[in-house]
Amino acid sequence: MTSPPTSLPTAGVTFLLTDIEGSTRAWQAAPELMAAPVARHYEILDAAISANEGLRPEEQGEGDSIVAVFRNARQAVAAALAAQLALRHELPELSVRMALHSGDAMLRNEHNYVGLTIIRCARIRSCGHGRQILLSDDTMRAVEDRLPTGADVIDLGVYGLRDLAGRERIWQLTHPDLSTAFPPLKAGASSAGNLPTPISSFVGRLDELTQLSHVLAQHRLVSIVGAAGVGKSRLAIAAAGAAADSHAGGVWWVPLADLADHAEHEPAAVLRAIAKACSVDAVDSVGDTIDPVEALFNHFRSAADALVVIDDHEQASGAVPALEQLLARCPSTRVLVTGRLPLGIAGEQVHALGPLRTPPDAFHGGRSDLDAYDAARLFVERAAAAGASARFDDAEATTVAHICRVLGGLPLGLELAAARSASTSLAQLVSSLGGLVGSTSAHPGTPSDTLASSIAWSYQLLSVAEQTALRRLAVFAASFEVDAAVAVVSGSDLDDRTTVLAIQGLVDQHLLTVDDRSGRLSLQPAIQRFAAERLTSSADLPDVVGRHGEWFAAIAERFADSGLVDGALPTTLLAPDEADVIAAMSTSMRSIDPSVAYRIIVAVGDRWPVLDRTAATGGIVDTIGSWLSTRSPSDGEQRWADAVAHVSGASITRPDAPVHLLVAEATAVAELVHDQDSVDLLVRAAATLATTLAAATA
């Protein structure tokens, strides 16, 4: 081994890490046969590293691994290739895997390294196989067209690396004299995916979870079907979480309820929603923007096995053709779907989900006997979490059993009742449940009837402030921040303090959920539909819609002022609120006062294709252009011209976009009102359009 250098570089270095796959077992099985080959392997590596001006820090690996560092990424790649070629020729019995990663490094002391750069390189190495050379995306960008003679690369896809945030695109270095056939990378799914963190424990359905997991391992398309409130989403999350370690391409959660209204019938919109949820970049290997749908297919074709979970597929009628395309074009991808009915796609495996098992009418056991019934176990556990467990004893076991029967074994209804049990006795709870469907019968109404009645019952027991808050929160199209909720809910009848207390009360009573990771609030779909019905018929609807529009117009304007260029989308600023920004704009377009729509259109500007992810097909951009064509400049001459200018910029690659028909009129209006910024945008758009058309007809 070479001696440790006296001065190790830290700025813009490239690490090369290697180890011998399976060496521990080989040493244990035949130590006398390993010594000479391993010693020679070190000599080969040292020679390649030295020849390419690399340095060997003081030994800091384990087993038969080495660490080398290079000031130049091209030399690091050349060293790895030279060593792997020599090892294949001289020591074919040793399976040496290699990984390279570039970045700034940190020193533990003058002789070795510490920090995330070398850790990331080690994680990439652990994904590989013997005789394979892996490059991080940073190293690939550093060498690009300067690969060693005869070498090439294969894009292996994007993976999660154990204990590291984010995902890493990994490349394989190839050469005609090296094998290119390897199994999928051994990348874990620990940081690959966006599966929601359950806000409470998974109770019951263990047999069903086992059965579902087995079916999911055998089939590419599995549907969980059942009535609203029966627990489809919770079971899907549990099954996906259990399968995460066997899906190196990640487990991805796609809630179709978040789709904007304008797009819910388009298959392409469903595929774009999947691309967005899976953090797929609509950029090709050379940095050019591509159609997000194609980017989605490219991503899942190149990634190892992935699991996509589509929640509530009925929210988008385009889900069926979209999923047919995904399954046909991405053969290593599996799909788990929830909905009230099956998709009806060939090969679909349907798992019908009914209510939780409830104690029978003849139940006369004690509290411990309730554990045999999933509905009772769920109620008792959730009640305990709410602080009510001290009142449950053997004498009250039959009352708990009765509550479970009244609620039809539906998890959502049971959770609502359990939350209420913290502030009332079981006898009072039973009394208040008296009006529910089927409450006096051993055979309750349909699950949907029982769920609707459970939600209505919970709503009636809320304070006036809590009822008002729940009703007004239905205006949100997706999850939302607390400050957004307070701004929209507060009004002349509710001050900020009362609003905050009401929102907390809704959380405490399980009518409003909080995401543990983001802190954002959301309504479960069944509760959102219930609240929306009451908001639609209420006198405060116009004020609530107005506050919602003002809030998200301001969000869009903050996005416009973010200083980002080249269409970059600030995920921390706008992406979580995309659905509500679009909903606010769409609502304003249909109203008497379109001021919010104009503000949002101009704020997002030429970055609409990035927000809408429909650069190739128009989508929202065409919807805006068509709407502008129905408006008169008398709406407000400057803002109309400004909107046309910005949308024409967003449609510059599409000569057939409706907004281009308005450019000449908008230019005249902008000149009339001395809006030079809009004039400049419109003239530039017209010139670019003319060039595009000329090229197309040449």
Side-chain angles (χ1 to χ4, degrees), residues 470-471 473-474 523 526-536:
L470 182 64
R471 184 173 67 243
L473 290 173
L523 295 170
I527 296 173
Q528 203 276 345
R529 288 190 289 268
F530 175 90
E533 291 174 358
R534 276 139 191 83
L535 177 63
T536 300

Side-chain angles (χ1 to χ4, degrees), residues 392-656:
F392 294 173
D393 54 25
D394 287 346
E396 292 183 307
T398 55
T399 305
V400 171
H402 175 71
I403 291 171
C404 294
R405 290 194 299 275
V406 167
L407 294 171
L410 290 179
L412 180 56
L414 291 165
E415 294 201 1
L416 295 176
R420 177 65 59 180
S421 71
S423 57
T424 185
S425 69
L426 286 183
Q428 292 170 323
L429 189 60
V430 169
S431 177
S432 66
L433 285 169
L436 281 183
V437 172
S439 61
T440 59
S441 167
H443 305 286
T446 65
S448 57
D449 288 342
T450 303
L451 178 62
S453 297
S454 298
I455 297 172
W457 161 77
S458 296
Y459 182 77
Q460 293 165 5
L461 297 178
L462 296 174
S463 68
V464 173
E466 290 167 342
Q467 288 182 349
T468 302
L470 182 64
R471 184 173 67 243
R472 292 176 180 174
L473 290 173
V475 75
F476 287 97
S479 64
F480 45 88
E481 300 281 2
V482 173
D483 54 355
V486 173
V488 170
V489 170
S490 297
S492 58
D493 55 342
L494 289 181
D495 59 25
D496 286 357
R497 180 179 181 278
T498 304
T499 297
V500 169
L501 293 174
I503 290 172
Q504 184 59 56
L506 296 176
V507 171
D508 292 342
Q509 295 169 78
H510 287 218
L511 289 162
L512 189 60
T513 58
V514 183
D515 186 292
D516 287 343
R517 292 185 293 186
S518 68
R520 292 173 69 88
L521 306 170
S522 62
L523 295 170
Q524 293 194 41
I527 296 173
Q528 203 276 345
R529 288 190 289 268
F530 175 90
E533 291 174 358
R534 276 139 191 83
L535 177 63
T536 300
S537 60
S538 69
D540 57 357
L541 176 63
D543 289 338
V544 173
V545 169
R547 291 193 293 270
H548 177 270
E550 288 293 324
W551 179 267
F552 287 103
I555 290 287
E557 287 165 346
R558 284 169 50 201
F559 166 66
D561 294 338
S562 63
L564 296 176
V565 295
D566 298 330
L569 182 65
T571 56
T572 58
L573 179 60
L574 187 60
D577 294 315
E578 284 180 19
D580 276 287
V581 168
I582 294 170
M585 180 189 70
S586 300
T587 300
S588 179
M589 285 177 172
R590 298 190 297 266
S591 69
I592 297 175
D593 179 8
S595 58
V596 164
Y598 278 121
R599 288 172 61 190
I600 293 174
I601 291 168
V602 171
V604 178
D606 60 2
R607 287 175 283 183
W608 271 113
V610 182
L611 175 63
D612 188 34
R613 302 173 186 266
T614 55
T617 57
I620 290 178
V621 178
D622 278 3
T623 299
I624 295 171
S626 299
W627 177 75
L628 288 171
S629 69
T630 69
R631 309 302 302 181
S632 167
S634 60
D635 283 343
E637 292 177 333
Q638 184 168 355
R639 67 182 184 181
W640 182 83
D642 199 12
V644 173
H646 282 82
V647 177
S648 64
S651 307
I652 206 65
T653 60
R654 298 185 55 254
D656 60 338

